[in-house]
Amino acid sequence: MTLGGETEEPNPGGVRDPSLRTAEGGGAPTEVETKGRSLLDASAGRRASGHAPPDGRDRMRGIRPLHRVLLAAVLLVGTAINVRFALRTGDALSCYNLGVDTDKYDAAARRIVATGRLDVPPLQPPGYILYLALVYKLSGLNVVVPKLLACAMLLLTAYGGWRLGASTAGPGAGFVTAALLICSPVLRAYAATIQYEVPAALLFLASVSAVRAASSRGLTGIRRLAGLSGAALLCALTTLTRETFLFVFPVLLVYVVVSTKAPLRERAAVAAVMAAVFASVLGAWSVIQHGRTGQWILVSQKGPLVLLYGHNPNANGTYNATLKPVVEPAGWNFIRRHPGAEARLALRKVGYFFGFLKDGWNVPRRSGLLVARLTFGRLS
């Protein structure tokens, strides 16, 4: 059969594309070529039918309206319960027995409001105290206001957890994440306490979400650098709120370096800029504290004390310095001299972390904590 003056050759074996013929003599395609073409056709068919693995934006666009309605209902009901609980605590600085340093945060914030000076105790990280001072100044030293703001932050954290979970693992995972966060008895209790846990959780989630967004949306050049610099800034603010997040930032840097196929030089430059942003924020606070106290303090001076509290013959795997005094050997001396006892403390820490062991700091009904940590955060 001719078409436009050219003869169409037969297509042996039902091959759809005659261009797959071998170069030698126009013969039939080889078995390898035929299988390769079939795989390409199957892949194209999956993309056309919607069965290809979706990226984060595809997952978010594919969420049904009913799912969003159910999510809104869960978030609103959970927030109403959290607000009611916070209001019931009234002017109390804490609920249950969570008020370890609440009086210190409250006193420091009130002192800053009264004097106008950044008088943050060296043993405390500055983030939450400065935030609390701003809230007190605007609200007239009303203790209930920061609790209500913490409830709002918990709502934002649950919504952010939904977005991160849905874009990463699908709508079901996002919904479970949001439900566990907004209904968590632990976070509800901390929202009703003058403590940094809820603000730190929101800041940390924002920093992780910013890193993932800048790394997964195909951003390049200055836009990607700006997004990752913002993530470094958020992680620095998180660290100033809770000093242990200092050890999280290197993990974010590693993720940024390995999550892209850009040239190594470009990845190193981006990581260097992020490190510079992070270090400049912490360094600025160190300069402020040095000018006030004459000491160079990175975030706070708790590090050496925590080492002594957690590693001595009276240690029990969690904070109990208010119950039993620190005795010698303590710190590194205890770790070196009593490796067996140190190993047992490490096992107890695992038990406390996953909720198998209960101590004085566990909130009642810790089932949400147990489920969340047994799944290593995938369901929270």
Side-chain angles (χ1 to χ4, degrees):
M1 178 177 180
T2 61
L3 185 63
E6 297 182 0
T7 302
E8 182 181 7
E9 298 181 4
N11 192 1
V15 179
R16 288 160 47 185
D17 190 352
S19 64
L20 287 177
R21 305 289 179 83
T22 57
E24 291 78 18
T30 65
E31 182 180 358
V32 172
E33 290 172 325
T34 303
K35 288 184 177 180
R37 182 68 183 189
S38 299
L39 290 174
L40 291 174
D41 290 343
S43 177
R46 284 195 303 270
R47 287 195 299 270
S49 62
H51 290 89
D55 61 16
R57 285 172 291 182
D58 290 338
R59 288 192 179 99
M60 297 303 294
R61 284 195 294 265
I63 295 177
R64 297 178 180 178
L66 178 60
H67 176 96
R68 296 178 184 273
V69 171
L70 291 176
L71 172 71
V74 170
L75 292 180
L76 289 176
V77 171
T79 301
I81 294 173
N82 295 339
V83 169
R84 179 175 178 270
F85 183 82
L87 291 175
R88 286 175 56 190
T89 63
D91 292 333
L93 296 181
S94 67
C95 63
Y96 303 129
N97 61 341
L98 299 179
V100 180
D101 291 324
T102 52
D103 57 338
K104 299 179 178 64
Y105 302 144
D106 178 73
R110 291 175 183 272
R111 187 167 57 250
I112 292 173
V113 172
T115 63
R117 296 195 303 267
L118 299 181
D119 186 11
V120 177
L123 285 176
Q124 306 298 338
Y128 184 72
I129 291 176
L130 296 178
Y131 157 78
L132 187 61
L134 177 62
V135 174
Y136 277 174
K137 185 174 181 62
L138 297 177
S139 66
L141 302 178
N142 190 329
V143 176
V144 176
V145 173
K147 295 182 181 182
L148 296 179
L149 289 176
C151 291
M153 291 180 186
L154 182 51
L155 171 61
L156 291 175
T157 302
Y159 176 75
W162 168 75
R163 289 192 63 88
L164 185 61
S167 63
T168 303
F175 185 86
V176 173
T177 300
L180 286 177
L181 285 171
I182 201 66
C183 298
S184 167
V186 178
L187 292 175
R188 180 184 306 128
Y190 276 120
T193 300
I194 304 301
Q195 287 274 121
Y196 50 70
E197 274 75 9
V198 174
L202 178 59
L203 285 170
F204 176 60
L205 176 64
S207 62
V208 172
S209 299
V211 167
R212 189 178 183 279
S215 301
S216 62
R217 291 182 179 178
L219 299 181
T220 58
I222 193 65
R223 292 183 62 189
R224 181 169 183 268
L225 182 61
L228 292 175
S229 297
L233 175 61
L234 287 169
C235 193
L237 295 177
T238 309
T239 303
L240 290 180
T241 304
R242 182 70 169 108
E243 57 268 70
T244 51
F245 283 97
L246 177 67
F247 301 100
V248 173
F249 181 70
V251 179
L252 295 182
L253 278 186
V254 171
Y255 175 80
V256 169
V257 171
V258 302
S259 64
T260 178
K261 296 181 179 179
L264 180 59
R265 185 175 180 179
E266 178 182 331
R267 286 181 279 170
V270 170
V273 171
M274 291 181 64
V277 172
F278 184 82
S280 64
V281 175
L282 270 59
W285 177 248
S286 295
V287 171
I288 292 173
Q289 281 290 62
H290 182 268
R292 194 177 68 84
T293 65
Q295 298 175 294
W296 289 107
I297 303 170
L298 183 58
V299 180
S300 75
Q301 293 179 328
K302 278 185 179 178
L305 291 178
V306 170
L307 185 64
L308 297 177
Y309 290 154
H311 307 272
N312 70 83
N314 280 339
N316 68 345
T318 185
Y319 179 82
N320 71 330
T322 57
L323 303 178
K324 293 185 178 181
V326 175
V327 296
E328 293 294 337
W332 289 113
N333 288 334
F334 176 81
I335 296 172
R336 287 192 296 264
R337 295 182 188 179
H338 304 283
E342 181 65 21
R344 288 191 293 272
L345 283 176
L347 291 176
R348 289 185 65 85
K349 289 179 184 293
V350 173
Y352 286 129
F353 179 83
F354 285 108
F356 291 118
L357 296 180
K358 181 177 174 61
D359 64 1
W361 312 112
N362 284 129
V363 177
R365 301 190 307 277
R366 63 191 190 282
S367 56
L369 176 68
L370 176 63
V371 171
R373 289 182 170 175
L374 281 176
T375 58
F376 291 94
R378 291 187 180 274
L379 292 181
S380 69

